[in-house]
Amino acid sequence: MNIVRSHVLIGMDASTIMAGARAVQQELVKEIKAKGLSGEVAVMETGSLGVTNMGVVLVVYPEGLYYANVTKEDVAELVEEQLLKGRLVKRLLYTQAPKRFIIKKERTGLMREQPRIVLKNCGIINPENIEEYIAEGGYEGALRAIGKMTPDEVIAEVKNSGLVGRGGAAFPTAMKWEFASKVPGPEKFIICNADEGEPGTFKDRLIMEGDPHKLIEGMIIAGYAFGATQGYIYIRGEYTLSIQRMEKAITDARAMNILGDKVFEKDFSFDLRVMKGGGAYVCGEETALIESLEGHRGHPRNKPPYPVVAGLWGKPTVVNNVETLANVGDIMRHGANWFRKYGTAKCPGTKVYTILGHVATPGLIETEMGTTLRDIIFEYGGGISEGKQFKGALVGGAAGAFVGPDLLDVQMDFVNLREYAAALGSGAILVMNEDTSMADMLKNVLHFFKHESCGHCVPCRLGTAQLVEVMDRIVDGSGGPDDVDRLLSIATVMKDASFCPLGQSLHMPISSCLKYFRDEIAGNQ
Amino acid sequence: MYREAALNKFEPEKRNILYILHELQDLNPQHYVAKEDIEAVADYLNVPYSFVHGVATFYTMFSLTPRGRHIIRLCDSPPCHLMGSTSTLDHIRNKLGIEVGQTTPDGAFTLELASCLGVCGIAPAIMINEEMFGKLTPERLDAILDERRNSI
């Protein structure tokens, strides 16, 4: 019997594959074989290792050493030195390895580390191997729910955990399930919204690429809780790897009787299907997404009736975000009280953020709800790049809010930020340094909305076009004295009169940007 | 006929329309949804031509005009914009001599703008066909485009 003394984990996500991860992997296997190490060193594929702009990244265990920017040409040296002789290859060593733990600040001011929830397995297990997920305790939550609890007990447990939707609107998850469970009818649906279109957000992609079974487990539990027998995962058409990995995971789960007729040999049947989107931001809105799933143009529907009453093909339907569902398995496995140990009283649990822009180490992190923006930027993001000063951040994607330095120390969760007229949204944090032109950034956001407005209702269709016209005037210096106020008045009309959240949400970036940077923007006109 | 084979991979249900359109566009030698494709889908799903046309024009991933061998989709959402996507765009326009929405005369490249590609960690980014390229500089772009032009 061979004893594997060393494991090389190679991160496979859209960005490392772009940098040539597949070629590096092949070369590694070849080189290890050539050196006669095949039985001793195992090369394994995993999801994102959390280092996003450093080329091909791999980790060598048991040492836990990170190597970044590895090319095919480096492989021979790496195998010879690190794996055969046990010496470091210093020029490729990456010492700013991402924090795989949640940093918890105790009241005493001391820091301690806690395991992650949503991203626990990402970059550790092979996402294409269901057995590795099960070995990490996967599907235990689903087994406990279906094997030992009634659907109502499952809903009660999730309700007690205080889980709210992570897609941006922060609606209590269990409440949606409860509504749907009370609507009579034999056919109900659960939809996972993986049409991640909010600029700066790619957390759902990395969850699906790195730990697809976590999403499947959450959907099984949700289906059991409110009586859905069929689920759909609506994934953006651009996310090729996510689609492949989810489809593989579904096939594997079916083979083990975790999906299909009589799940876990209990009296509950449930199956999943992946649906591929066509590229439309508005389809992130739940009723537009349902229209798209049915095979129509992605126009939003009138509410009420809400999807929990009449959704997909008129049947009761719950739409949940990927990150929300990825929390459910562990809540069922460890219980609501365990979940409440994380985060704040009003928003328990963790939040996955993407930190981008002018920070030293951009990437994906998971922290507790209630972590301050300062900790996120300076503890996790490594501070502002090139030693520059912090000017502002766009939090929550294009439909989010601009924030200035005075919000750096506010505890961030869905409820608390609302009091400051900001929003956590999807968890994208775009950091801007002192050299950034805020007028240019706001103009970019408005162009984005003009392009993505679906044209269904007049306030949004015309409003986004007018906003772009006014903003272009301001930026090129031909604007009038009223133009800044005009932005706000158009946005206010859109907020009141638009049909769906796309048009309504534009008020947030405009009003927040003017709150902090009005003088700078007015100075342009 | 390849169209028939492609259609038969899917049940004739409306909910499969996006999958079918993706499939037909991928198989089309000019990488677009042709009039004949729309007609075939309409017949297959038993819906009016206008319905299929409406769906195909709604989603940005479908093109109703012929495109080049390599479709460049440049992301100009806020994260890429902040990291310099405007100069990336200018560089590509100058190098290829085409504007957004146009195809080079040799049929090698089509330039399109895309909403967030979801790879913001490596901004500014572009997607060429199914492949992502990030952390773009003029030198890197030249290398990528030159290599692509020569490949089929």
Side-chain angles (χ1 to χ4, degrees):
Chain A
M1 185 188 134
N2 282 324
I3 295 174
V4 177
R5 63 169 169 87
S6 197
H7 287 86
V8 182
L9 264 63
I10 177 157
M12 285 284 173
D13 60 68
S15 28
T16 56
I17 288 174
M18 168 208 101
R22 295 248 182 252
V24 170
Q25 185 189 22
Q26 282 164 11
E27 192 69 19
L28 260 174
V29 173
K30 206 173 94 193
E31 198 61 31
I32 287 170
K33 201 171 166 197
K35 292 273 190 300
L37 296 173
S38 292
E40 295 174 50
V41 182
V43 178
M44 296 187 339
E45 209 179 301
T46 185
S48 170
L49 290 165
V51 183
T52 56
N53 62 346
M54 300 296 292
V56 180
V57 187
L58 43 90
V59 194
V60 180
Y61 285 109
E63 295 92 339
L65 295 168
Y66 277 70
Y67 285 105
N69 286 322
V70 179
T71 64
K72 213 174 132 192
E73 288 70 38
D74 299 322
V75 169
E77 183 188 353
L78 206 58
V79 172
E80 172 85 23
E81 294 295 312
Q82 172 68 49
L83 298 174
L84 189 65
K85 298 178 181 159
R87 291 196 291 235
L88 300 179
V89 182
K90 282 198 179 131
R91 66 184 177 86
L92 296 172
L93 208 59
Y94 185 66
T95 49
Q96 290 165 293
K99 296 186 169 64
R100 305 210 59 88
F101 290 90
I102 295 165
I103 304 169
K104 189 173 174 94
K105 262 195 182 158
E106 297 287 349
R107 284 195 194 86
T108 53
L110 289 171
M111 311 261 252
R112 83 185 158 86
E113 292 178 338
Q114 284 195 338
R116 294 162 156 190
I117 302 176
V118 175
L119 301 178
K120 191 176 64 184
N121 296 333
C122 287
I124 293 175
I125 65 167
N126 178 351
E128 298 193 1
N129 186 338
I130 186 170
E131 286 173 8
E132 292 198 18
Y133 178 68
I134 293 172
E136 292 291 329
Y139 290 115
E140 268 180 35
L143 192 59
R144 178 173 169 241
I146 297 168
K148 295 187 179 151
M149 298 166 80
T150 66
D152 286 345
E153 283 169 353
V154 174
I155 292 179
E157 187 82 38
V158 175
K159 193 182 248 178
N160 288 338
S161 76
L163 178 68
V164 297
R166 301 295 200 244
F171 191 83
T173 306
M175 221 194 277
K176 267 192 197 175
W177 297 1
E178 196 173 17
F179 288 148
S181 76
K182 287 184 177 150
V183 181
E187 208 178 13
K188 297 175 188 177
F189 298 109
I190 166 92
I191 297 174
C192 172
N193 182 349
D195 189 49
E196 187 171 51
E198 196 61 58
T201 311
F202 50 95
K203 63 185 178 68
D204 297 344
R205 172 169 69 81
L206 293 190
I207 294 169
M208 291 187 287
E209 286 176 1
D211 200 4
H213 288 284
K214 216 176 186 81
L215 176 56
I216 295 179
E217 183 173 11
M219 291 187 77
I220 295 172
I221 296 168
Y224 178 71
F226 71 87
T229 52
Q230 176 68 46
Y232 292 94
I233 308 172
Y234 185 96
I235 307 179
R236 279 186 74 171
E238 290 92 339
Y239 282 5
T240 315
L241 186 62
S242 297
I243 294 171
Q244 285 166 5
R245 290 229 163 117
M246 284 314 309
E247 280 176 342
K248 166 101 172 56
I250 289 170
T251 309
D252 292 348
R254 268 191 209 129
M256 295 187 94
N257 206 16
I258 290 169
L259 285 175
D261 284 337
K262 296 199 176 298
V263 174
F264 300 126
E265 286 161 13
K266 303 285 176 197
D267 190 22
F268 168 65
S269 298
F270 184 78
D271 210 350
L272 280 176
R273 190 175 162 180
V274 170
M275 298 297 259
K276 183 177 176 182
Y281 175 72
V282 70
C283 288
E285 197 278 330
E286 58 179 6
T287 61
L289 188 150
I290 289 172
E291 281 287 312
S292 178
L293 259 181
E294 290 183 5
H296 303 140
R297 289 164 71 91
H299 283 169
R301 289 179 182 173
N302 236 338
K303 289 198 268 190
Y306 288 91
V308 288
V309 178
L312 190 61
W313 296 299
K315 303 287 191 324
T317 305
V318 168
V319 185
N320 284 143
N321 175 262
V322 176
E323 190 188 344
T324 315
L325 289 164
N327 274 294
V328 171
D330 276 330
I331 291 175
M332 293 317 297
R333 185 173 161 211
H334 302 292
N337 290 334
W338 164 83
F339 190 71
R340 281 197 168 273
K341 284 196 283 191
Y342 295 88
T344 60
K346 283 176 185 160
C347 287
T350 61
K351 181 81 195 78
V352 179
Y353 295 98
T354 43
I355 327 175
L356 308 157
H358 299 138
V359 287
T361 52
L364 187 78
I365 60 154
E366 178 175 354
T367 80
E368 283 193 277
M369 285 281 184
T371 306
T372 62
L373 192 56
R374 186 185 298 281
D375 280 347
I376 289 174
I377 295 173
F378 293 92
E379 289 287 336
Y380 290 91
I384 311 297
S385 53
E386 294 166 20
K388 299 252 165 98
Q389 291 294 307
F390 172 82
K391 179 169 183 180
L394 179 58
V395 177
F402 285 88
V403 301
D406 64 322
L407 284 194
L408 274 176
D409 292 308
V410 171
Q411 281 208 325
M412 297 213 297
D413 66 28
F414 287 108
V415 179
N416 206 23
L417 271 186
R418 227 173 271 157
E419 287 171 25
Y420 294 88
L424 205 50
S426 61
I429 296 176
L430 182 60
V431 178
M432 292 166 264
N433 70 17
E434 54 194 301
D435 300 335
T436 310
S437 158
M438 289 299 172
D440 185 49
M441 286 311 291
L442 184 59
K443 177 182 152 181
N444 179 261
V445 168
L446 298 181
H447 274 269
F448 171 80
F449 276 99
K450 183 189 167 200
H451 180 259
E452 294 297 344
S453 175
C454 80
H456 183 66
C457 76
V458 177
C460 180
R461 184 174 69 226
L462 298 187
T464 49
Q466 288 179 8
L467 283 170
V468 163
E469 231 174 78
V470 174
M471 195 65 214
D472 283 354
R473 274 207 305 261
I474 293 175
V475 170
D476 72 23
S478 64
D482 304 331
D483 272 350
V484 172
D485 287 324
R486 189 164 289 125
L487 289 176
L488 211 49
S489 77
I490 296 171
T492 307
V493 173
M494 290 175 67
K495 186 184 175 191
D496 292 340
S498 293
F499 190 83
C500 88
L502 195 153
Q504 295 159 11
S505 60
L506 246 173
H507 190 266
M508 178 81 87
I510 293 176
S511 60
S512 59
C513 191
L514 292 180
K515 180 177 158 197
Y516 289 102
F517 309 108
R518 191 188 172 99
D519 290 346
E520 182 188 328
I521 288 169
N524 260 304
Q525 59 186 7
Chain B
M1 182 61 188
Y2 80 88
R3 242 178 225 122
E4 209 170 309
L7 287 169
N8 285 328
K9 281 168 70 181
F10 304 92
E11 302 140 63
E13 290 170 10
K14 238 179 9 182
R15 63 172 184 177
N16 289 328
I17 193 167
L18 292 184
Y19 264 104
I20 296 173
L21 288 171
H22 274 299
E23 183 84 9
L24 290 175
Q25 175 167 276
D26 291 347
L27 290 173
N28 189 302
Q30 289 178 292
H31 310 288
Y32 79 115
V33 180
K35 188 165 173 282
E36 294 76 26
D37 291 319
I38 296 179
E39 282 166 357
V41 177
D43 284 347
Y44 189 66
L45 298 180
N46 198 21
V47 292
Y49 178 92
S50 59
F51 179 88
V52 183
H53 184 270
V55 171
T57 48
F58 184 81
Y59 298 94
T60 51
M61 288 183 82
F62 302 119
S63 170
L64 269 71
T65 49
R67 293 187 287 184
R69 291 196 304 279
H70 305 293
I71 299 155
I72 305 170
R73 308 181 71 213
L74 182 133
C75 174
D76 190 35
S77 63
C80 278
H81 187 76
L82 183 70
M83 304 308 278
S85 61
T86 313
S87 40
T88 310
L89 179 62
D90 289 343
H91 188 80
I92 297 176
R93 278 166 50 210
N94 289 335
K95 188 176 168 68
L96 300 181
I98 50 171
E99 293 300 316
V100 173
Q102 293 180 339
T103 302
T104 52
D106 64 351
F109 294 103
T110 298
L111 177 58
E112 294 180 357
L113 284 186
S115 294
C116 189
L117 294 172
V119 291
C120 326
I122 48 166
I126 57 171
M127 194 171 172
I128 302 183
N129 300 339
E130 295 281 290
E131 228 178 308
M132 299 279 187
F133 298 90
K135 291 175 80 182
L136 297 168
T137 58
E139 298 74 38
R140 213 172 121 64
L141 268 174
D142 286 345
I144 294 167
L145 294 178
D146 290 343
E147 194 219 312
R148 285 275 157 163
R149 190 187 285 280
N150 299 325
S151 71
I152 296 167

